[in-house]
Amino acid sequence: MVFLLLLLLIIGNISAHAQPLRQVQIVPTSLPDQPLRSLIEDAVRERGGDLERQHLHLVLAFSTGHYRSDPLGAEAAREMAWRLSSGLLTPGDRISVYAWEMQVYDAPTPSPRLVSQEDLQAATPIRDLFPKSTQPSSEGGHDTEEAIVEIRRRLGETYSDAVVVLLTNSAQSQGPVGRQAATLGATHPTYLAVLEEFDRLGASSATLASAQLAYTIRRPDGSTAERSLDAVVLIPRAFSGAEIAGRTRSEPAQTAQTPPQGSGSGSPLPLLLLAALAAAVGYWVYRSLAGGKATGAAPWVLRVEGDGFEIPGGPISVALQGEPVGKEVLALSGPRYAEGSARALPESAGRLPPVLLARFTRSGRGVRVSAGGALRLYVDGTLYLGGYELARGATTRVRIQGEVEVDAVLGPQPVEVGLRVGLSA
């Protein structure tokens, strides 16, 4: 009996390692999200600002000359930019995005975008601004000082609340490989003029970065390696931002006090209360006459089907009517997962360990799907570390994959499952 058990364990271990990762991947849990934010908050405070009580204009710039040869570096830059944005920004802030190589060649935000609560909840409006490819006819290389000068020019006269963050494979300017190309240089008068208004935060490495952001990659053979990208941060020498009305940055936007409307001497509160009461009574009568069922727009329904396998009992359907933003409406797991109220996928879905696979969360636009734990979520071959916002009226094929370790003897086990998910109305 013992011999048979050992034999099964050995066979399982061989099988687990017989399906290596198809490509090099970023380890999502290795991506930092706090050091850059802390660096910015401290630097603003030292220059007379208070981000807890003042709005800011976050200016993100991506050097893209290496994107073709280093897609993981590009992916890491976009993910770190989103983590910084979602952790730092609050409704009422502004954001601008630029892409540069030897010059700034793209501005996905021709004018600063005013950040809303929906932007931060849905994520995609901001994430979609981040460049995903090189400059057309790119020869590579990047000129950091030239980009700083051009971004400062585009900021115009209103720059006192601007926090500029450039993300690149190396903060040090470098021309295209194999070709002579002059860079602006750190002693050029136009660059030095910018430094009279902005402080470029102290270099932390030989590459002249303000911060080096480390992350881990995993190779197809399971081994890991450490990598990093450089961040260059510039803060106005005298920071001054508009006041955050009625709250602080760390307080949710919905707790902000609404300023009184109109200029009349009487308070509108009694009329508002009366209108609310009338609406409530009308809705109660409407629901009663309709037999308890609203006959207006149909409730949103989340529908989940297996991709290549059948879910016992048919597709999973979840009505979203009345579910608050941020609430988890569905969780999926492998068989025999014992934590929480996740619904387990059947054995026919493949060789799945007992771990959390996916979460579906009510968002401002509908539903957001994200991978569980350290697994990764792909849509049409694109990795979405921060989750994916489902489009209403469409069916989306998502793939969840990675590897997890649930048994020290078996070691890491590969996970891969496909789903067809849709959000109807």
Side-chain angles (χ1 to χ4, degrees), residues 55 70 81 116 120 133 222 233 247 251 254 290-291 295 297 353 391 396 423:
H55 282 295
D70 183 21
S116 68
L120 299 175
S133 61
V233 181
R247 62 183 178 90
E251 292 177 308
Q254 55 265 32
T295 58
T396 305
L423 182 60

Side-chain angles (χ1 to χ4, degrees), residues 106-129:
D106 191 21
T109 51
S111 58
R113 179 189 180 101
L114 187 66
V115 176
S116 68
Q117 183 70 22
E118 184 180 47
D119 288 339
L120 299 175
Q121 290 174 335
T124 47
I126 292 178
R127 293 177 71 104
D128 286 349
L129 298 172

Side-chain angles (χ1 to χ4, degrees), residues 33-282:
D33 54 4
Q34 183 61 28
L36 192 53
R37 175 181 174 179
S38 297
L39 176 69
I40 291 170
E41 290 172 338
D42 292 344
V44 167
R45 189 179 306 112
E46 292 167 2
R47 289 155 183 80
D50 180 5
L51 288 186
E52 187 66 10
R53 301 185 180 279
Q54 291 178 308
H55 282 295
L56 65 86
H57 177 194
L58 180 60
V59 182
L60 296 172
F62 300 77
S63 80
T64 63
H66 63 292
Y67 275 21
R68 186 177 297 127
S69 61
D70 183 21
L72 282 185
E75 180 184 311
R78 289 191 294 268
E79 182 60 25
M80 290 184 188
W82 167 243
R83 293 189 180 206
L84 173 64
S85 301
S86 61
L88 181 62
L89 293 175
T90 193
D93 287 342
R94 297 180 299 156
I95 186 171
S96 294
V97 177
Y98 297 95
W100 98 93
E101 290 184 12
M102 297 309 291
Q103 296 87 28
V104 172
Y105 70 87
D106 191 21
T109 51
S111 58
R113 179 189 180 101
L114 187 66
V115 176
S116 68
Q117 183 70 22
E118 184 180 47
D119 288 339
L120 299 175
Q121 290 174 335
T124 47
I126 292 178
R127 293 177 71 104
D128 286 349
L129 298 172
F130 303 159
K132 299 175 178 62
S133 61
T134 63
Q135 179 180 6
S137 303
S138 172
E139 295 182 333
H142 61 272
D143 189 338
T144 305
E145 286 70 33
E146 169 67 29
I148 289 172
V149 169
E150 177 60 17
I151 289 170
R152 168 63 190 95
R153 185 189 70 79
R154 298 194 187 199
L155 288 176
E157 297 302 316
T158 56
Y159 66 87
S160 63
D161 63 345
V163 173
V164 182
V165 180
L166 298 93
L167 297 170
T168 175
N169 58 328
S170 173
Q172 192 168 23
S173 298
Q174 48 193 245
V177 176
R179 185 172 73 82
Q180 292 291 334
T183 58
L184 187 68
T187 60
H188 195 279
T190 57
Y191 174 69
L192 293 176
V194 175
L195 297 188
E196 292 179 1
E197 301 168 328
F198 282 81
D199 285 331
R200 178 172 172 171
L201 300 190
S204 64
S205 70
T207 64
L208 306 179
S210 302
Q212 287 191 301
L213 307 175
Y215 60 97
T216 304
I217 62 172
R218 181 176 287 113
R219 302 187 182 95
D221 62 3
S223 63
T224 60
E226 297 301 314
R227 295 189 59 185
S228 67
L229 60 85
D230 284 357
V232 176
V233 181
L234 295 101
I235 308 287
R237 289 193 165 187
F239 185 93
S240 176
E243 181 183 356
I244 300 176
R247 62 183 178 90
T248 62
R249 183 171 296 272
S250 58
E251 292 177 308
Q254 55 265 32
T255 64
Q257 297 177 357
T258 303
Q261 302 295 319
S263 56
S265 58
S267 170
L269 183 58
L271 291 177
L272 293 175
L273 291 175
L274 184 60
L277 179 61
V281 171

Side-chain angles (χ1 to χ4, degrees), residues 313-327:
I316 300 171
S317 293
V318 180
L320 304 175
Q321 195 170 27
E323 298 291 357
V325 171
K327 180 180 178 182

